Amino acid sequence: MSKKSFTDVELGMNRKILRRDFLSGASIAVTGAILCPSLVKAMQALDQSKPKQNDAGYYPPDKANMRGSHDGSFETAHLVRDGDGFKTTDAGEEYDLVVVGGGISGLAAAWFYRKSAGPNKKILILDNHDDFGGHAKRNEYNYEGRNILVNGGTLNIEQPTNYSTVAMGYLREIGIDTKAYHEKTKDMFRHYRLNGLGGSTYFDKETFGGEGMVKRDRRAEGGWSGFFDKSPISDDLKEEFKRLYSEEIVATSMQDMSDEEKKRKLASITYAEYITDVLGVDERVLPIFRSGLHFRFYVGAEQVPALFCWQLGGMPGFENLNLVPTEKISPLHHIAGSQHGREHEYEESSIYFPDGNATITRMTVRDLIPEAIPGNTLDDIFTAKVDYSRLDHDQNATRLRLNSTVINIKHNGDPKSAKDVDVSYMQNGEAKTVKAKNTILACWHNVIPYICNDFSEEQKEAQLYGIKAPRVYTNVLLKNGKAFEKLGVSAITSPGLFHTTSSLHYPIHMGDYKAPVNMDEPVIVKMHKAPCAPGELRRDQLRLGRYELLNTTFETFERNIREQLQRMLGSAGFDAAKDIAAITVNRWPHGNAYAYDTITEPYHWSMYATDDRPCVVARQQLGRISIANSDADASPFTDAAIDQAHRAVREVLADQYLMG
């Protein structure tokens, strides 16, 4: 089957979808954020007319279209980066602790501090987005009289069995019992499988020379060989795939090496080099791995160490190396646990909430500011509606201030002896300053050198070292899931298309929340994309991917989404012009924390928690300023953000004790 071209009308680009309410000229604003400061300032002026946090009806979770790092959340930061200054006024507010960043780490830091220092301590949390949660965002769709939830970023609690006592204790104390939750929801994760829907791969003509979808079922007759026999690719490429996936394939040149030597070798080469140079398989097989590797590592086989692919599990080519399972490799320690020595199924190794890890942030905020979110249990959190006007109330000991980009942080005097810190931020076009006894920077490392000049050049260099991985979590609300049902699939990998994975959102219903279950009901298709630049070095790929993402308009996303779904589902009667009810593109140009690799960086940075790693140098306390974020652990996982928040709060408590 050849690729079919679709017109805008055929795809429904002229049709209205739910809440297509993005700012007029959004594409100009996004480009301007990078290239034209005057346009950025114009956007800031427009931003002053937007609804404010305390306005009636202010409710960010139900906004659609371009979300994540939305327009208005990053323009001021780009101006600070480019050297623009702001005249500030004193807000007349003093706090025991100011937390910069309202993501999981920032909220956890406020929670840990309040728990230890007492509920009457004054805390201010500042965040540049219009909603709290950082990457743990929540998308809501109000459609045909029902509210449908999905994550807009951070997906799950991955491998809770590997969480530290601190991280697991935090979850329990805010009301999340992972074992009890798993028991209640485990069958929901099997729902599609139990109803005959499985995984598939969509081969596109541009990448593989042929077009079509093939269901994946390794337990079916023929296994991988049968799968590739059904694929719309040339016979010689089929043979290359079958050879790679054969359990008989052997890395001859590595057979006489010791276990440690084999692992060192795999650490020194990419998975692409291992497949082509060591195993002698044709490089045309490499695109098939984009979907999985982009999701885990944000780049393709040409930049991921072969060792990491072995540790991930399920990747072909390692069967006859007879490697001894490794207990922990830094970038993959959760996944490693699920593949080696764990006696549970994959679904049991991760905890998924209806709205992803937004559940964690909402439970935390409810504990910090009970007046803002009704209810008191996990069962009622999913339908609880946040009263944003209560988050930054002058009667609260803990306050959460949104749409507030921090522009400067400075000790009042020498950092060693200063009694407090001035924190300046921009909100609604006005720059204000508050005073804090201590500050925790729970923003990402790269921004710190631009907003705080007190750090040494060595520490600033370390803070700028890691490059956040750009990611896109797109959610598409369909009027029904009949096309998926007819094809017998619930998940599609599409290595050569705009989004590399598409899957139906798990029908998780808990407490008061009832998720759609039947395929004649509305369904959410979750699509993932990791913008990158194949052929470049990993760090350059991440930078170029971020640039691409910030310069991609919502209209471009929408057309690609519609065309991709039409190509994949059209044979089952799907009509992109009629069946799409809403689209939300959760854009994260500065997405997941940078994790070290074993090819371009010292081997021990990935293998051991050594103090010479840039993340450790970058996170060192300076006077009244501490640092908490997942960057500080060089790990993209939720528990890293929690653990680093706890470490930073211990520093603050010790500092306040010594300062009297």
Side-chain angles (χ1 to χ4, degrees):
M1 177 169 49
S2 61
K3 177 191 173 183
K4 181 183 185 297
S5 295
F6 301 96
T7 67
D8 284 357
V9 173
E10 286 177 314
L11 294 175
M13 288 294 291
N14 61 324
R15 295 193 178 223
K16 291 187 68 174
I17 54 176
L18 199 61
R19 296 182 308 279
R20 185 175 282 170
D21 58 357
F22 55 99
L23 283 175
S24 175
S27 60
I28 296 176
V30 173
T31 304
I34 303 172
L35 302 176
C36 184
S38 63
L39 288 177
V40 176
K41 291 180 179 179
M43 275 300 297
Q44 286 184 297
L46 284 173
D47 193 53
Q48 295 182 45
S49 64
K50 283 184 175 181
K52 307 299 188 295
Q53 179 178 339
N54 291 334
D55 289 351
Y58 182 90
Y59 196 70
D62 67 4
K63 291 185 178 181
N65 307 297
M66 194 71 84
R67 295 296 295 156
S69 290
H70 56 80
D71 295 335
S73 66
F74 57 85
E75 292 86 350
T76 296
H78 283 185
L79 292 176
V80 173
R81 174 202 63 190
D82 295 337
D84 279 33
F86 301 90
K87 183 178 180 181
T88 65
T89 59
D90 189 348
E93 299 175 10
E94 297 185 9
Y95 296 91
D96 296 290
L97 177 68
V98 169
V99 179
V100 179
I104 287 178
S105 200
L107 294 172
W111 188 90
F112 283 125
Y113 179 77
R114 184 176 180 273
K115 180 175 177 61
S116 295
N120 295 323
K121 290 291 184 179
K122 295 185 66 178
I123 305 169
L124 175 65
I125 306 165
L126 298 167
D127 195 87
N128 58 309
H129 293 94
D130 61 9
D131 200 0
F132 60 83
H135 294 154
K137 283 293 192 293
R138 164 181 170 124
N139 293 163
E140 294 187 23
Y141 298 99
N142 295 294
Y143 183 68
E144 293 186 342
R146 69 189 309 169
N147 189 249
I148 304 172
L149 308 178
V150 63
N151 63 294
T154 307
L155 179 63
N156 61 344
I157 300 176
E158 193 158 20
Q159 287 293 323
T161 51
N162 286 341
Y163 271 38
S164 69
T165 302
V166 166
M168 187 53 67
Y170 162 73
L171 293 178
R172 289 197 184 104
E173 290 209 48
I174 63 173
I176 298 174
D177 184 329
T178 56
K179 289 185 178 179
Y181 180 84
H182 167 70
E183 285 302 312
K184 290 181 180 180
T185 60
K186 61 183 179 182
D187 288 338
M188 300 175 198
F189 299 116
R190 304 187 181 104
H191 173 78
Y192 295 125
R193 191 173 67 216
L194 294 174
N195 284 276
L197 306 185
S200 64
T201 297
Y202 189 83
F203 294 85
D204 64 288
K205 184 175 178 61
E206 305 94 307
T207 306
F208 297 100
E211 188 100 359
M213 184 184 300
V214 183
K215 290 186 67 174
R216 295 191 308 272
D217 187 352
R218 284 172 289 175
R219 294 167 294 185
E221 185 177 354
W224 282 117
S225 181
F227 169 80
F228 289 113
D229 278 336
K230 299 173 188 174
S231 303
I233 57 179
S234 63
D235 288 342
D236 63 327
L237 184 53
K238 289 179 182 179
E239 292 307 312
E240 289 297 298
F241 273 120
K242 286 193 264 186
R243 190 159 69 89
L244 175 60
Y245 277 82
S246 168
E247 294 185 2
E248 282 75 42
I249 196 166
V250 176
T252 306
S253 62
M254 297 176 62
Q255 288 306 296
D256 295 332
M257 294 180 180
S258 67
D259 185 73
E260 179 62 23
E261 288 172 336
K262 290 176 184 176
K263 289 173 182 172
R264 286 278 185 169
K265 173 67 174 178
L266 294 176
S268 69
I269 60 175
T270 67
Y271 188 50
E273 290 171 324
Y274 177 69
I275 288 175
T276 58
D277 297 345
V278 177
L279 297 179
V281 177
D282 194 300
E283 65 180 4
R284 289 179 298 161
V285 305
L286 297 177
I288 200 77
F289 304 111
R290 285 180 191 156
S291 302
L293 296 182
H294 279 198
F295 192 83
R296 288 296 179 189
F297 304 104
Y298 333 116
V299 292
E302 80 285 353
Q303 283 296 309
V304 178
L307 183 66
F308 290 4
C309 291
W310 165 73
Q311 188 71 14
L312 181 63
M315 303 290 285
F318 302 107
E319 184 72 24
N320 290 303
L321 281 181
N322 299 314
L323 296 170
V324 177
T326 302
E327 179 62 25
K328 184 174 181 179
I329 291 181
S330 181
L332 285 172
H333 60 280
H334 294 280
I335 304 163
S338 70
Q339 295 297 331
H340 301 296
R342 299 292 181 191
E343 297 301 326
H344 45 56
E345 295 182 0
Y346 174 74
E347 291 90 344
E348 295 177 343
S349 67
S350 297
I351 301 296
Y352 294 85
F353 300 107
D355 55 359
N357 285 356
T359 290
I360 298 175
T361 63
R362 287 161 60 84
M363 292 289 281
T364 304
V365 169
R366 182 161 70 181
D367 214 34
L368 291 169
I369 312 171
E371 301 86 357
I373 306 180
N376 51 33
T377 69
L378 182 62
D379 281 349
D380 59 37
I381 193 66
F382 305 112
T383 56
K385 190 163 185 176
V386 179
D387 182 351
Y388 285 83
S389 69
R390 301 299 304 179
L391 295 177
D392 188 18
H393 200 281
D394 56 12
Q395 294 180 352
N396 297 346
T398 299
R399 303 175 70 170
L400 175 51
R401 189 165 297 165
L402 302 171
N403 302 300
S404 301
T405 302
V406 171
I407 57 177
N408 191 52
I409 300 167
K410 185 174 180 59
H411 285 93
N412 287 306
D414 186 289
K416 294 181 180 178
S417 57
K419 300 293 184 183
D420 49 39
V421 178
D422 280 344
V423 180
S424 300
Y425 63 94
M426 178 74 75
Q427 184 190 51
N428 303 324
E430 296 183 64
K432 299 179 181 179
T433 299
V434 298
K435 197 176 297 294
K437 292 180 180 178
N438 286 81
T439 298
I440 290 179
L441 304 185
C443 49
W444 38 282
H445 274 177
N446 285 178
V447 77
I448 294 174
Y450 298 104
I451 62 174
C452 184
N453 198 43
D454 290 353
F455 290 101
S456 68
E457 292 305 311
E458 178 187 10
Q459 193 163 353
K460 288 179 183 177
E461 183 179 357
Q463 290 163 349
L464 291 170
Y465 181 83
I467 302 170
K468 304 283 270 189
R471 301 190 78 168
V472 179
Y473 291 91
T474 293
N475 293 316
V476 184
L477 179 66
L478 303 185
K479 294 178 180 179
N480 59 68
K482 292 179 181 178
F484 281 89
E485 185 176 42
K486 185 173 181 179
L487 291 169
V489 302
S490 61
I492 307 169
T493 62
S494 46
L497 298 184
F498 190 77
H499 287 83
T500 54
T501 63
S502 306
S503 60
L504 295 177
H505 188 36
Y506 287 126
I508 308 169
H509 42 275
M510 278 289 295
D512 298 335
Y513 176 66
K514 306 300 180 185
V517 175
N518 299 318
M519 285 305 197
D520 57 357
E521 296 181 286
V523 297
I524 293 177
V525 181
K526 299 165 57 166
M527 306 177 77
H528 177 261
K529 177 181 178 64
C532 57
E536 303 293 335
L537 293 175
R538 183 170 73 111
R539 294 169 65 82
D540 292 332
Q541 287 202 38
L542 300 180
R543 289 192 185 95
L544 291 169
R546 177 168 68 243
Y547 183 87
E548 172 198 332
L549 182 52
L550 278 171
N551 280 281
T552 303
T553 65
F554 178 79
E555 293 89 344
T556 298
F557 270 104
E558 181 179 359
R559 197 187 197 288
N560 277 282
I561 290 162
R562 288 178 176 275
E563 180 176 318
Q564 180 168 344
L565 291 175
Q566 189 63 49
R567 287 175 73 175
M568 297 190 306
L569 305 175
S571 65
F574 177 80
D575 186 339
K578 298 178 180 179
D579 295 338
I580 294 175
I583 297 173
T584 306
V585 177
N586 294 281
R587 170 187 63 186
W588 300 110
H590 300 278
N592 287 44
Y594 184 85
Y596 307 119
D597 67 54
T598 55
I599 296 173
T600 63
E601 291 154 330
Y603 178 83
H604 66 273
W605 284 7
S606 293
M607 300 300 146
Y608 312 107
T610 58
D611 290 343
D612 66 325
R613 294 174 298 153
C615 65
V616 178
V617 177
R619 74 190 187 204
Q620 296 305 303
Q621 182 183 21
L622 176 67
R624 315 286 80 77
I625 299 174
S626 294
I627 295 174
N629 48 44
S630 57
D631 291 342
D633 201 25
S635 169
F637 294 103
T638 294
D639 59 325
I642 298 170
D643 287 336
Q644 291 302 319
H646 185 259
R647 175 196 52 76
V649 168
R650 290 203 312 269
E651 293 177 355
V652 169
L653 293 171
D655 183 65
Q656 291 187 350
Y657 175 80
L658 292 174
M659 295 294 290

